[in-house]
Amino acid sequence: MQVNTFLRCATSRLAREAPRFPITSAAVASYHSSAVRSANEYHGTTILCVRKKGKVCMMGDGMVSMGSMTIKPNATKIRRILPKGVTDPQKGTIVGFAGATADAFTLLERLEGKLDEFPGQLSRSCVELAKGWRTDKYLRRLEASLIVADESVSLEITGNGDVLEMSDGVISVGSGSPYALAAARALMSVEEMDAEEVAAKAMDVASDMCVYTNKEFLTFTLDDVGKVDIDE
């Protein structure tokens, strides 16, 4: 009897002295939204673009995953955009994306519109897209990264308003991009390897290291003619 009385008193005292943290509806909503967002988060991909020895090669894997589950192994994450009335693939623009698919396609449509507005001026088209992406109330919510390349230049476009051109001819985005970028830069000094061989080997390394990148690679190539000055 004395033991039971002691335990009841100790439990009551602990309950009175324990700090109280009220659970508000906002806290519950925050936890719920975080849990849902974590469960449904689409993990990325790896897109790599290499310019070397007169060639431009863009390569991407096909894996789409949600959480720990693979949704699709052979998605198409690279597109070729051709100007109106043009059928020559060499005159087109190659675009690769990583991130939410719907967001990426929205940006692709915007980019295609800018390319029609400024034909043959990829850099200016990308700057105009980045300006809208950064300042537009709707577009700023889009979560994706783009790599674009034509016969003259390769660029990365981000939602922060950045339009980046790498000095070494190698650009990569996506979850496996650090591995692909490092491998490609290391292989750029191998004289015997062309752009497609460098990209293939670097993507193979990335797919071995990144669990969200597989070996279902899609490749687009262009001839590199170097930078062309255009009077605007």
Side-chain angles (χ1 to χ4, degrees):
M1 180 65 68
Q2 293 179 350
V3 173
N4 291 336
T5 303
F6 173 77
L7 289 176
R8 284 197 299 269
C9 293
T11 303
S12 177
R13 182 179 179 183
L14 286 174
R16 289 195 305 270
E17 294 181 355
R20 297 180 181 180
F21 299 99
I23 301 177
T24 64
S25 58
V28 173
S30 176
Y31 172 79
H32 176 71
S33 61
S34 299
V36 171
R37 192 163 52 244
S38 176
N40 293 317
E41 181 180 359
Y42 281 88
H43 289 281
T45 180
T46 302
I47 307 294
L48 176 67
C49 183
V50 177
R51 306 183 78 97
K52 186 181 181 184
K53 286 189 173 182
K55 288 287 184 180
V56 184
C57 177
M58 187 177 295
M59 189 174 294
D61 78 307
M63 184 173 177
V64 177
S65 59
M66 185 171 68
S68 59
M69 179 171 57
T70 299
I71 304 299
K72 188 176 181 180
N74 58 346
T76 300
K77 304 172 186 176
I78 302 177
R79 297 285 189 276
R80 191 190 300 270
I81 301 176
L82 294 175
K84 291 182 178 179
V86 176
T87 58
D88 183 7
Q90 174 63 24
K91 299 301 180 182
T93 300
I94 304 174
V95 184
F97 63 85
T101 304
D103 293 354
F105 274 97
T106 300
L107 294 170
L108 286 177
E109 291 178 359
R110 295 286 183 132
L111 176 61
E112 192 168 3
K114 296 299 181 183
L115 290 171
D116 290 338
E117 185 178 355
F118 307 106
Q121 302 180 58
L122 180 60
S123 297
R124 181 173 180 181
S125 300
C126 291
V127 170
E128 294 297 327
L129 174 64
K131 286 165 58 178
W133 192 355
R134 177 65 174 172
T135 59
D136 187 271
K137 184 177 180 180
Y138 166 70
L139 291 179
R140 73 175 62 168
R141 298 177 179 272
L142 302 182
E143 297 180 358
S145 295
L146 300 179
I147 294 180
V148 296
D150 64 4
E151 59 186 4
S152 302
V153 65
S154 301
L155 301 168
E156 177 185 351
I157 314 173
T158 72
N160 294 326
D162 299 322
V163 179
L164 307 174
E165 179 184 6
M166 301 303 178
S167 59
D168 56 3
V170 181
I171 302 178
S172 185
V173 296
S175 57
S177 61
Y179 317 115
L181 193 63
R185 285 178 172 173
L187 294 171
M188 287 292 282
S189 60
V190 181
E191 293 295 332
E192 294 77 13
M193 300 181 71
D194 60 18
E196 189 167 356
E197 291 172 333
V198 169
K201 183 61 178 177
M203 285 294 295
D204 192 54
V205 171
S207 66
D208 288 337
M209 301 184 70
C210 177
V211 296
Y212 301 114
T213 302
N214 65 11
K215 295 183 183 294
E216 297 287 337
F217 301 144
L218 178 64
T219 305
F220 284 144
T221 59
L222 290 172
D223 294 330
D224 182 9
V225 300
K227 286 191 176 181
V228 177
D229 294 328
I230 298 178
D231 296 330
E232 300 181 0

